[in-house]
Amino acid sequence: MSLLEQLGITYPIVQAPMAGGATTPELIAAVSNFGGLGSLGGGATSQDALNKQIDAIRALTDKPFMINLMVLSEHDASTFDTSMPDWLNKYYQEQQIDTVLPDKPAHSFTEQLQVLYDNPVPVASFTFGIISAQQVQRLQQLGTRVVGTANHTLEAKAWADIGADAVCVQGMEAGGHRGGWLPQSETDPLGLLTLIGQTRACTDIPLIAAGGIMSGRDIKAVQAAGAQLAQMGTAFLTTDKSGINATYKQALLDASNGTRNTETRLTRLFSGKQARGLVNNYLRDFASFDKTEELPPYPQLNAMTKFMRANAAKNGDAEHLSLWAGQGVALVKQERTLELLERLVQGL
């Protein structure tokens, strides 16, 4: 049975599960109702909010959809054991931005996973780590298909070994956070076609390809390379159902119309974990600190920079926002979500 049939979708299109409010229930439902797989990035969401968002999606569609969670240990989610960097403290003082850190840097993954046990969804995907074979089996027994995320063949094989239904292989071209967790995925980031080829050589688990995919032609290319489905995030960010703020959306459109540089960069400066976004003044000004040994880890730094990002959003300041975008950002368009989907299918 093909992955399309297993997931119950019509087209090989997965809307990437971007956290931080980008993936609204309306966006997810639009993609799922069209015949793709709409996805919620739920990793930055509380237990109660996650339940409400699942119910909101169900009210808008009876088609399959996916919930994505970030795999964090209880220690990582609950502990601040590093100090705010001096350069970030200085920035806050100069800009007169108040900073009061929360008690915990992130929501409990254990509590989020419990939501998926109590309120089962058609598909669950995981990033930033790997769950246990027992957790995979429990979800599958509830009728949930399980999708892992990998930046390296060793990660893809680990998901295959514990019985996942599919793996999303995320090439270095992808926007936003990289989903892998092994050091090999950071020290030598692989391009998508290389990653698909190497993964196909070591496991036959169904693959979903992510990274720089912007057109029907791109989808056909990754299918020819060995993936069954294509996961796309950046292309959806500038559509009408996207939940990103107006400043972020305009920066992406500026990159596509030539009024802003299209350069993207993998950086840890916003969150402590590698992520790709448009280069802005924050990344330029503090580039010398973008080193693992000098930065608090994820999710601690993410919690520390939240005040800067919130202030930037409030003031329409794109130079201090995390402008997550993949290497295909020059091809984004201001359009309705359905227009994008129709254009993608026409190219298949």
Side-chain angles (χ1 to χ4, degrees):
M1 184 185 294
S2 72
L3 192 55
L4 272 179
E5 294 169 318
Q6 287 184 51
L7 300 182
I9 60 178
T10 306
Y11 301 111
I13 298 168
V14 180
Q15 163 254 309
M18 301 165 284
T23 48
T24 62
E26 291 76 15
L27 173 62
I28 296 156
V31 176
S32 290
N33 286 332
F34 184 83
L37 186 67
S39 307
L40 174 73
T45 307
S46 70
Q47 190 175 15
D48 289 344
L50 184 59
N51 251 320
K52 290 176 181 176
Q53 288 181 331
I54 291 171
D55 292 342
I57 295 166
R58 282 211 176 92
L60 297 171
T61 184
D62 60 359
K63 304 294 186 182
F65 61 91
M66 180 165 75
I67 302 297
N68 175 268
L69 297 180
M70 301 169 180
V71 182
L72 292 174
S73 70
E74 284 302 302
H75 177 271
D76 287 346
S78 63
T79 306
F80 281 104
D81 56 13
T82 59
S83 301
M84 188 177 293
D86 292 341
W87 53 268
L88 185 57
N89 250 327
K90 182 180 178 183
Y91 171 83
Y92 283 140
Q93 291 169 9
E94 290 173 348
Q95 300 300 317
Q96 297 182 321
I97 298 173
D98 291 332
T99 60
V100 179
L101 290 174
D103 293 336
K104 300 177 181 180
H107 294 290
S108 166
F109 170 70
T110 302
E111 293 178 0
Q112 293 172 328
L113 184 59
Q114 188 63 45
V115 172
L116 302 189
Y117 294 151
D118 296 338
N119 192 1
V121 298
V123 188
S125 69
F126 299 91
T127 190
F128 294 11
I130 189 167
I131 61 177
S132 69
Q134 291 74 24
Q135 289 168 324
V136 170
Q137 290 165 8
R138 183 172 178 185
L139 288 165
Q140 290 170 334
Q141 288 166 358
L142 294 168
T144 300
R145 299 289 186 177
V146 177
V147 178
T149 306
N151 298 136
H152 193 277
T153 54
L154 291 175
E155 294 167 341
K157 185 145 189 331
W159 278 107
D161 289 346
I162 62 168
D165 296 285
V167 173
C168 177
V169 284
Q170 181 194 37
M172 66 177 292
E173 304 93 337
H177 283 92
R178 287 172 60 73
W181 68 96
L182 295 176
Q184 293 92 329
S185 70
E186 289 198 8
T187 54
D188 186 19
L190 298 175
L192 179 57
L193 293 181
T194 300
L195 180 57
I196 294 172
Q198 291 188 6
T199 303
R200 274 282 67 96
C202 73
T203 175
D204 60 0
I205 192 169
L207 300 183
I208 302 169
I213 302 169
M214 300 295 290
S215 67
R217 181 181 297 177
D218 294 339
I219 295 172
K220 289 199 294 185
V222 297
Q223 287 181 314
Q228 293 191 37
L229 311 182
Q231 182 168 290
M232 307 170 64
T234 303
F236 283 98
L237 288 175
T238 52
T239 67
D240 64 330
K241 303 295 186 185
S242 164
I244 64 174
N245 64 64
T247 303
Y248 180 5
K249 187 174 289 189
Q250 190 58 52
L252 298 176
L253 291 169
D254 288 347
S256 72
N257 64 30
T259 58
R260 184 185 185 96
N261 195 311
T262 60
E263 180 188 357
T264 63
R265 181 183 300 171
L266 285 172
T267 179
R268 295 183 182 84
L269 277 173
F270 279 106
S271 71
K273 184 172 176 63
Q274 271 192 341
R276 182 177 295 281
L278 282 172
V279 175
N280 58 9
N281 286 348
Y282 174 70
L283 296 188
R284 294 187 192 97
D285 293 345
F286 299 106
S288 62
F289 301 105
D290 199 353
K291 301 171 185 175
T292 307
E293 64 272 15
E294 296 180 12
L295 287 175
Y298 184 91
Q300 295 180 51
L301 184 60
N302 191 61
M304 293 170 184
T305 63
K306 183 177 181 179
F307 312 102
M308 175 185 67
R309 291 178 279 121
N311 185 71
K314 177 183 175 182
N315 295 321
D317 171 20
E319 299 308 316
H320 294 88
L321 284 175
S322 47
L323 303 173
W324 303 137
Q327 290 183 332
V329 65
L331 300 177
V332 300
K333 297 178 183 292
Q334 186 169 18
E335 59 189 339
R336 292 184 299 115
T337 302
L338 286 179
E339 286 180 298
L340 169 61
L341 290 164
E342 288 164 356
R343 186 159 53 80
L344 293 172
V345 169
Q346 287 170 5
L348 294 177

